[in-house]
Amino acid sequence: EIVLTQSPATLSLSPGERATLSCRASQSISSYLAWYQQKPGQAPRLLIYDASNRATGIPARFSGSGSGTDFTLTISSLEPEDFAVYYCQQRRKWPLTFGGGTKVEIK
Amino acid sequence: EVQLVESGGGLVQPGGSVRLSCAASGFTFSSYAMSWVRQAPGKGLEWVSSFSSGAGGDSTYYADSVKGRFTISRDNSKNTLYLQMNSLRAEDTAVYYCAKNLPIDYWGQGTLVTVSS
């Protein structure tokens, strides 16, 4: 099973600051990585697929990069609605796996 | 507009069974892989099962934690995805989400399954 390790577990930032979230895979997953945002009491929402492609309707301040084993989600300037939990997920091999999540909280 | 509406959750005793349903609309259901993902209270996301269809036929996949106990199925004539859950354990307590496509591009709002005596 491919293990995804997200870091940091919690990121404390202020609105307007840049957020950099990391996801590391235990083996190469090429670019088969997605990022999701989840707010309390809501279902997750797809942000980025195949490592760097923004999903429909996702603002340009969200960007993804990486390939192989190291991936990054960057939020260029945090808006109040961006404070949430972010998960990465791989679909390179079964079983599909998710990272443990990074909580972006208001400092 | 894509809609995924789960139903069938509730309180069930350990060792019991429940069947979840997911009614899909707003897209050509038969053309997409469908999955179940769960989230235990206060925890992260855990993939449970997927059903895909391709040139070679239908394929189903399961997490080790549910293999042999859960069965995923779909009825394309009814645009509905199912998850039959047997031999339920306390650790199966979670919100179960129905999800479209791989990578997952739409999620339902989830249905809570609580396994407790």
Side-chain angles (χ1 to χ4, degrees):
Chain A
E1 163 175 324
I2 296 174
V3 176
L4 298 179
T5 302
Q6 291 188 241
S7 62
T10 304
L11 199 51
S12 298
L13 295 168
S14 301
E17 289 193 295
R18 182 184 188 90
T20 303
L21 288 66
S22 173
C23 178
R24 178 164 290 178
S26 59
Q27 60 183 269
S28 177
I29 57 171
S30 185
S31 295
Y32 294 107
L33 188 94
W35 289 94
Y36 301 91
Q37 177 194 65
Q38 188 178 34
K39 297 178 181 179
Q42 296 185 15
R45 175 175 72 145
L46 177 65
L47 299 176
I48 302 287
Y49 65 94
D50 293 347
S52 60
N53 298 287
R54 266 191 307 277
T56 303
I58 301 304
R61 64 181 181 273
F62 291 93
S63 63
S65 64
S67 67
T69 60
D70 290 301
F71 300 85
T72 300
L73 174 69
T74 301
I75 311 171
S76 59
S77 178
L78 283 164
E79 297 288 338
E81 61 268 27
D82 299 336
F83 292 91
V85 180
Y86 294 83
Y87 295 95
C88 57
Q89 185 221 355
Q90 67 82 23
R91 64 183 180 94
R92 175 63 180 86
K93 288 184 179 179
W94 302 100
L96 306 182
T97 49
F98 288 90
T102 290
K103 181 179 181 179
V104 179
E105 64 177 23
I106 300 176
K107 186 174 182 180
Chain B
E1 178 194 4
V2 172
Q3 285 198 323
L4 301 170
V5 179
E6 302 93 339
S7 61
L11 178 64
V12 60
Q13 291 193 335
S17 298
V18 68
R19 188 177 81 159
L20 305 183
S21 299
C22 170
S25 60
F27 63 102
T28 305
F29 179 74
S30 59
S31 297
Y32 290 90
M34 298 293 295
S35 301
W36 291 97
V37 177
R38 68 185 180 184
Q39 187 169 36
K43 301 298 184 183
L45 301 170
E46 180 188 15
W47 170 77
V48 173
S49 181
S50 295
F51 192 119
S52 67
S53 300
D58 295 338
S59 297
T60 57
Y61 305 89
Y62 299 94
D64 284 347
S65 58
V66 307
K67 200 172 293 182
R69 300 187 299 125
F70 292 9
T71 302
I72 191 172
S73 62
R74 63 195 295 167
D75 185 336
N76 290 336
S77 69
K78 296 182 178 179
N79 289 348
T80 302
L81 180 73
Y82 302 100
L83 185 67
Q84 178 67 43
M85 306 166 61
N86 298 333
S87 302
L88 283 162
R89 307 165 180 167
E91 55 265 36
D92 295 319
T93 294
V95 173
Y96 285 74
Y97 294 103
C98 170
K100 167 184 170 279
N101 205 12
L102 288 172
I104 296 171
D105 54 8
Y106 288 94
W107 302 66
Q109 283 305 302
T111 187
L112 176 63
V113 174
T114 302
V115 183
S116 175
S117 55

